[in-house]
Amino acid sequence: MRLSFLLIILLFSFIQTMAQMGEIRGRVSNPVNNEGISFANIVILGTDYGTVTDVDGNYVLSNIEPGLYNVRASFIGYRSQTQFEIQVTRARSVQLNFELREEAADLSEVTVNAEFTRSDETPISVRKLNTNEIERYPGGNRDISRVIQSLPGVASTASFRNDIIIRGGAPNENKFFIDDIEVPVINHFATQGSSGGPVGILNVNLIKNVDVITGGFPADRMNSLSSFFNFEFKEGRSDKMFTQMTIGASEFTFSNEGPLGEKTTYLISARRSYLQLLFRALGLPFLPDFYDFQVKTVTKINDKTELTFLGVGAIDLFSLNFDEPRNETIEERESRLYLLDNLPISTQWNYTTGLRLKRYRENGFWTFILSRNMLNNRSFKYAGNDESTKENILFDYLSQESENKFRAENSIFKGPVTFKYGFNYEYSRFTISNFDRLTLAPIGQVINVNARSFFNSYGAFVSASKNYFNERLLLSGGVRMDGSDFGQTAQNPLNQISPRLSISYQFKPNLFWTSSAGIYYQRPPYTALGFRNNEGELVNQLNDIRFIRSSQFITGIEKVLPQKSRRFSVEAFYKHYNNYPSSVLNGIALANLGADFGVIGNEELRSDAQGRAYGLEFLAQQRFFNNFYGIGSLTLVRSEFTNPNTQGFIPSAWDNRIIVSLTAGKRFVKNWEFGARWRYLGGTPYTPIDIETSSLIEVWNLRGQPLLDYNLINAIRLQAFHQLDLRIDKKYFFKKWNLNWFLDIQNAYNFQAEQPPLLIPVRNPDGSIKVNPNDPSRYEMRLIDNPAGTLLPTIGLIVEF
């Protein structure tokens, strides 16, 4: 297989192609009313290529040499827009549309930055990534969640998971939207009640760009405390069908696009992993497998009406591997048996479907969104993995979350003023079948619940922004209210009023000072809202569980050099949390949980924990310019929470303190490209194991895993983690098809990151557990190191035709 691959690459290296050139075509329009902008200028920066739009705003740029370009659209009286890293090939024309906002004043004394993401609603804490930045990101392996880790304020765990920790907040404080439709799950094997997982669901071939908003949230976004991810999928080709296939080390991806008629285009994607085969060959004790699917259609009903359909889904399978590897050491055997004794057998599937109807008029547009999403999570475990009798079952968990959502928003633009208002309604269902002998094992109780719960949630918002002094000063603000019937306090939306205000001032051209302050609310997870005791009572509803509240303040300075596509910024942030749920059983705030597999929040809780996170972010970014790109970020952060069984604030599980990320790349002649990323994260705290209790025979026989000492919450800190990732790309452009092969190397110098140690039993030669000779009531146990990190090279092949 490897020999064949090398021969193919060598063959294509010497093929001489015809002199057919590339093409860019698209439309330049006013996003307020969707009307085309006539005679707008389209220029490929750094070249002599350029043209103007026709009377309908359409344009065509032909005879372009294949390569990577920055393209700018401009017109007098409108804010110019640059789209970076547009890949031009011979195989297909590039569909590139621009939306230019009309200027509200004479800008002879001030320059408005349109080269980087700045909007009237979110003038601070917004970063944009496009499809090429995502695809070629070193160590990202075409996974959007890993690409986000290069941005300031974003931390990750040292393990192989995709948890995103932003500005000291927990992973479940992030929300994801694709074309304005909320998609709750974007990772395979997600942690229910949180987020994250080892592999992303979204196919980067479909992503046009993504905006990451880490503060100063607009009033039309709800139910998040740390960030909003706004993905925009591409539109399918309107002229003919186009196909892309990607073969990687662990999966095969197929995507296709084209017209479905004169007014409708489509995009589809499907992926199938073969991780089970790879993991079995490596002798690992667990065998994951997954599938995912995405589809988007766009129908231009008329010049003023557009209908978008979106579908995203995934299937996750997880089984155990009982094969015994050859030449296994005693330590490797004990570790493998420990994992087999503790890892559950799991299956999970989820989907989101949605419709977005956009209706334009002269001074704005209405947006209507109807969507449904569902998550099914099944997990079970038998003692000794012996399924022959029900007496051996330790837990059997099955739950479903489903949401039906409707949202309506009206956007009005009049001169320097932008005004928006809207409302939303959500009907959700949570079902659970839960038999559990582990969670309450320390107090000798068994959970046995079968129940179904229904919830109604509702909200409304209004926001406005206005420019003053020839757009030198921008004021924007809004207020929203949210309510839900999951608790007595929560059902009254007046208890969840969320005001917010942003101010941005331009001292001189492209030098901005911006500040934002606001109050935001997030609903606790359905696992918490639907938790019942054995009597069938909604325990947390009786405890009056509440929306989590976060008060935030951000201020920063940004300098942009648009001629060289550079950006420098520094931001300070402060977040204060109230009403965070905490575990009655363990006395720990749920803000410390979420970076592991399983379920979060499925227990009795009280809304009595507080938290705070604060810090500084520094960013220097070079968009693609003179065949070079780079981004460097430094974050200094503190994250602290209270816990019912501790006094005062203590470091949270996300308290990295320092985060450094350096990414750079260079494009060379003949379409070679090299990129590298280095990141450094300060060590995070963790809670040690309660060895005395865990080693008791009656406890270990029942649980098969240790208990943590929650009297010492986050009392020990891990060592710092750092990693180098590398990537090499080579592209070939033929007359009717393209070929790209890449080598992606994660953890190039094989750094072993410290993780909390494992407590495992010492075993006899026959596999039975040794009894402690000094205390017959206990097993003989020992702590072993549990480092994370391995050198992981990936070779991939992308074919487009």
Side-chain angles (χ1 to χ4, degrees):
M1 176 67 181
R2 293 180 180 176
L3 180 59
S4 299
F5 176 78
L6 292 175
L7 289 174
I8 291 173
I9 297 301
L10 290 173
L11 175 63
F12 289 136
S13 298
F14 294 97
I15 291 180
Q16 299 296 320
T17 62
M18 296 180 63
Q20 180 175 328
M21 306 298 272
E23 180 181 85
I24 302 176
R25 60 171 61 235
R27 183 170 184 259
V28 181
S29 63
N30 185 335
V32 172
N33 51 30
N34 201 37
E35 293 180 357
I37 299 176
S38 306
F39 311 115
N41 296 303
I42 310 297
V43 176
I44 299 180
L45 301 180
T47 75
D48 296 328
Y49 295 115
T51 188
V52 296
T53 59
D54 62 18
V55 293
D56 297 317
N58 300 311
Y59 74 93
V60 178
L61 267 171
S62 302
N63 297 318
I64 305 172
E65 184 73 26
L68 205 60
Y69 300 100
N70 298 334
V71 186
R72 177 178 295 167
S74 62
F75 189 67
I76 297 174
Y78 289 78
R79 298 181 185 179
S80 63
Q81 182 186 11
T82 301
Q83 298 200 37
F84 295 87
E85 303 189 38
I86 305 304
Q87 182 67 67
V88 176
T89 72
R90 296 184 179 92
R92 64 165 173 173
S93 62
V94 177
Q95 182 71 30
L96 189 64
N97 297 326
F98 293 88
E99 293 183 339
L100 305 186
R101 284 286 304 274
E102 193 170 359
E103 301 288 12
D106 179 12
L107 301 184
S108 58
E109 299 179 359
V110 65
T111 301
V112 176
N113 166 35
E115 306 305 314
F116 294 88
T117 299
R118 291 181 61 87
S119 72
D120 291 351
E121 295 177 276
T122 54
I124 194 170
S125 302
V126 183
R127 316 296 181 201
K128 179 187 285 288
L129 295 168
N130 62 34
T131 181
N132 273 293
E133 290 175 303
I134 296 169
E135 286 186 3
R136 57 102 194 280
Y137 189 77
N141 202 17
R142 298 168 55 82
D143 191 329
I144 183 62
S145 296
R146 297 184 184 274
V147 176
I148 296 302
Q149 297 168 6
S150 67
L151 300 179
V154 182
S156 60
T157 58
S159 65
F160 56 87
R161 286 174 54 90
N162 277 355
D163 301 293
I164 300 173
I165 299 102
I166 294 182
R167 291 180 170 175
N172 67 341
E173 296 178 14
N174 308 305
K175 285 291 179 290
F176 311 98
F177 291 80
I178 302 177
D179 293 315
D180 293 326
I181 298 168
E182 184 178 350
V183 180
V185 180
I186 67 165
N187 285 296
H188 289 283
F189 305 100
T191 301
Q192 190 176 6
S194 183
S195 64
V199 182
I201 290 174
L202 303 182
N203 180 359
V204 301
N205 299 339
L206 274 61
I207 298 174
K208 180 180 180 182
N209 54 60
V210 54
D211 289 341
V212 183
I213 308 173
T214 57
F217 308 132
D220 60 349
R221 291 292 185 252
M222 74 295 288
N223 202 32
S224 179
L225 304 179
S226 282
S227 76
F228 289 94
F229 289 70
N230 294 329
F231 295 91
E232 182 183 0
F233 273 6
K234 301 174 184 176
E235 290 188 19
R237 292 187 63 168
S238 59
D239 53 348
K240 62 180 180 179
M241 186 183 298
F242 189 80
T243 299
Q244 184 179 71
M245 295 187 294
T246 303
I247 302 173
S250 59
E251 73 257 359
F252 171 77
T253 306
F254 172 86
S255 57
N256 182 263
E257 61 181 290
L260 284 176
E262 293 184 1
K263 297 183 177 182
T264 302
T265 62
Y266 74 91
L267 277 174
I268 59 171
S269 170
R271 179 166 55 165
R272 167 73 164 91
S273 80
Y274 32 87
L275 276 175
Q276 282 192 341
L277 301 176
L278 178 62
F279 279 35
R280 187 180 294 277
L282 295 173
L284 297 178
F286 49 91
L287 304 173
D289 198 11
F290 63 83
Y291 308 78
D292 56 53
F293 318 91
Q294 288 125 73
V295 60
K296 175 184 176 179
T297 66
V298 177
T299 302
K300 312 283 188 181
I301 299 175
N302 54 49
D303 291 341
K304 295 293 185 180
T305 309
E306 178 180 286
L307 179 66
T308 300
F309 169 78
L310 178 73
V312 177
I315 301 172
D316 302 327
L317 307 173
F318 189 93
S319 58
L320 300 179
N321 179 17
F322 296 102
D323 297 341
E324 295 187 7
R326 296 180 179 179
N327 303 319
E328 187 178 37
T329 66
I330 295 176
E331 291 77 11
E332 290 173 341
R333 180 170 178 266
E334 289 180 344
S335 178
R336 179 177 59 84
L337 292 175
Y338 170 82
L339 290 174
L340 288 174
D341 285 344
N342 283 274
L343 290 173
I345 297 174
S346 305
T347 59
Q348 188 178 107
W349 54 261
N350 67 85
Y351 70 82
T352 298
T353 59
L355 290 169
R356 181 186 67 181
L357 180 67
K358 208 165 186 178
R359 176 63 180 173
Y360 291 93
R361 57 183 186 279
E362 188 60 32
N363 66 337
F365 52 85
W366 273 97
T367 305
F368 302 96
I369 298 169
L370 180 66
S371 66
R372 173 178 171 82
N373 57 266
M374 191 169 184
L375 169 70
N376 186 94
N377 190 20
R378 170 80 194 285
S379 181
F380 63 90
K381 186 68 180 178
Y382 285 80
N385 297 301
D386 180 7
E387 302 181 25
S388 61
T389 173
K390 291 185 177 180
E391 283 72 22
N392 287 335
I393 194 164
L394 299 176
F395 65 86
D396 191 348
Y397 176 88
L398 172 64
S399 74
Q400 286 187 346
E401 302 176 7
S402 61
E403 298 176 318
N404 303 280
K405 304 174 183 178
F406 176 74
R407 201 164 85 242
E409 300 176 0
N410 188 17
S411 302
I412 303 170
F413 304 87
K414 188 174 183 180
V417 178
T418 300
F419 181 72
K420 295 180 69 172
Y421 65 89
F423 64 92
N424 62 281
Y425 171 75
E426 180 178 313
Y427 175 73
S428 54
R429 181 188 69 176
F430 178 79
T431 63
I432 184 169
S433 173
N434 187 23
F435 177 84
D436 188 346
R437 294 168 54 193
L438 293 183
T439 301
L440 301 179
I443 58 177
Q445 294 185 15
V446 174
I447 299 173
N448 192 2
V449 174
N450 287 276
R452 180 177 296 179
S453 306
F454 301 91
F455 305 100
N456 296 276
S457 301
Y458 31 87
F461 78 92
V462 60
S463 66
S465 62
K466 184 176 181 180
N467 287 282
Y468 298 88
F469 310 126
N470 284 345
E471 298 202 12
R472 188 180 296 276
L473 174 66
L474 168 66
L475 294 179
S476 58
V479 62
R480 68 170 297 115
M481 296 187 299
D482 291 285
S484 182
D485 57 7
F486 64 76
Q488 182 177 354
T489 300
Q491 66 183 356
N492 184 355
L494 295 178
N495 293 327
Q496 289 84 225
I497 296 180
S498 307
R500 57 207 68 189
L501 175 67
S502 294
I503 179 172
S504 181
Y505 185 76
Q506 189 170 180
F507 292 108
K508 57 183 182 178
N510 294 308
L511 177 63
F512 300 86
W513 166 75
T514 309
S515 288
S516 175
I519 298 174
Y520 312 104
Y521 287 91
Q522 180 173 322
R523 184 179 55 217
Y526 286 111
T527 51
L529 305 183
F531 175 75
R532 297 175 185 262
N533 58 20
N534 288 333
E535 288 71 43
E537 298 173 311
L538 285 169
V539 178
N540 295 325
Q541 188 178 77
L542 297 176
N543 291 343
D544 192 24
I545 192 171
R546 304 185 179 191
F547 278 88
I548 308 168
R549 169 177 164 149
S550 178
S551 304
Q552 302 185 15
F553 175 76
I554 308 165
T555 187
I557 294 176
E558 180 183 50
K559 174 65 176 177
V560 176
L561 303 176
Q563 294 81 7
K564 296 184 178 181
S565 303
R566 291 176 187 169
R567 176 190 207 179
F568 304 91
S569 68
V570 57
E571 290 186 7
F573 62 90
Y574 180 84
K575 302 193 290 188
H576 190 276
Y577 296 88
N578 293 97
N579 303 333
Y580 225 106
S582 68
S583 168
V584 173
L585 176 64
N586 297 322
I588 182 173
L590 294 195
N592 290 293
L593 305 176
D596 203 353
F597 298 102
V599 178
I600 302 299
N602 185 38
E603 57 180 307
E604 183 177 358
L605 305 169
R606 291 197 175 94
S607 298
D608 57 2
Q610 298 183 56
R612 62 191 182 194
Y614 51 93
L616 280 171
E617 295 176 356
F618 302 88
L619 170 71
Q621 182 179 9
Q622 172 70 70
R623 303 297 291 265
F624 186 74
F625 183 76
N626 287 341
N627 292 318
F628 174 81
Y629 66 88
I631 180 171
S633 65
L634 166 66
T635 303
L636 305 175
V637 61
R638 294 290 186 273
S639 177
E640 302 169 327
F641 277 84
T642 64
N643 299 276
N645 59 351
T646 62
Q647 294 184 352
F649 289 92
I650 65 171
S652 79
W654 324 113
D655 185 46
N656 288 99
R657 299 197 173 180
I658 182 170
I659 306 166
V660 180
S661 179
L662 304 173
T663 305
K666 173 73 173 176
R667 173 159 285 214
F668 299 93
V669 296
K670 297 185 178 180
N671 299 307
W672 285 92
E673 185 171 336
F674 175 78
R677 177 187 70 158
W678 184 78
R679 55 188 175 127
Y680 176 97
L681 292 91
T684 52
Y686 70 94
T687 303
I689 294 171
D690 184 348
I691 299 177
E692 291 298 312
T693 303
S694 301
S695 62
L696 290 170
I697 292 177
E698 59 180 347
V699 173
W700 193 267
N701 283 347
L702 180 60
R703 292 181 54 82
Q705 55 185 309
L707 292 165
L708 300 181
D709 186 353
Y710 287 109
N711 292 315
L712 298 172
I713 296 175
N714 295 335
I716 305 176
R717 188 175 289 270
L718 299 171
Q719 295 179 358
F721 157 77
H722 50 88
Q723 178 173 310
L724 174 66
D725 303 321
L726 305 172
R727 183 177 172 110
I728 299 173
D729 281 82
K730 178 68 171 82
K731 292 181 170 65
Y732 303 86
F733 303 114
F734 303 103
K735 181 178 178 180
K736 294 184 178 181
W737 63 291
N738 306 316
L739 175 68
N740 173 204
W741 66 264
F742 63 88
L743 172 63
D744 190 284
I745 303 175
Q746 299 181 43
N747 197 13
Y749 51 73
N750 197 29
F751 180 80
Q752 301 294 295
E754 184 188 19
Q755 297 288 279
L758 298 177
L759 181 70
I760 67 171
V762 178
R763 296 182 181 269
N764 296 304
D766 62 358
S768 60
I769 303 175
K770 285 185 178 180
V771 176
N772 190 331
N774 299 320
D775 186 349
S777 67
R778 302 178 186 276
Y779 284 129
E780 189 173 336
M781 315 291 286
R782 67 188 184 96
L783 292 170
I784 64 170
D785 292 334
N786 180 35
T790 184
L791 175 67
L792 183 59
T794 300
I795 296 177
L797 185 68
I798 304 172
V799 181
E800 300 176 318
F801 56 91

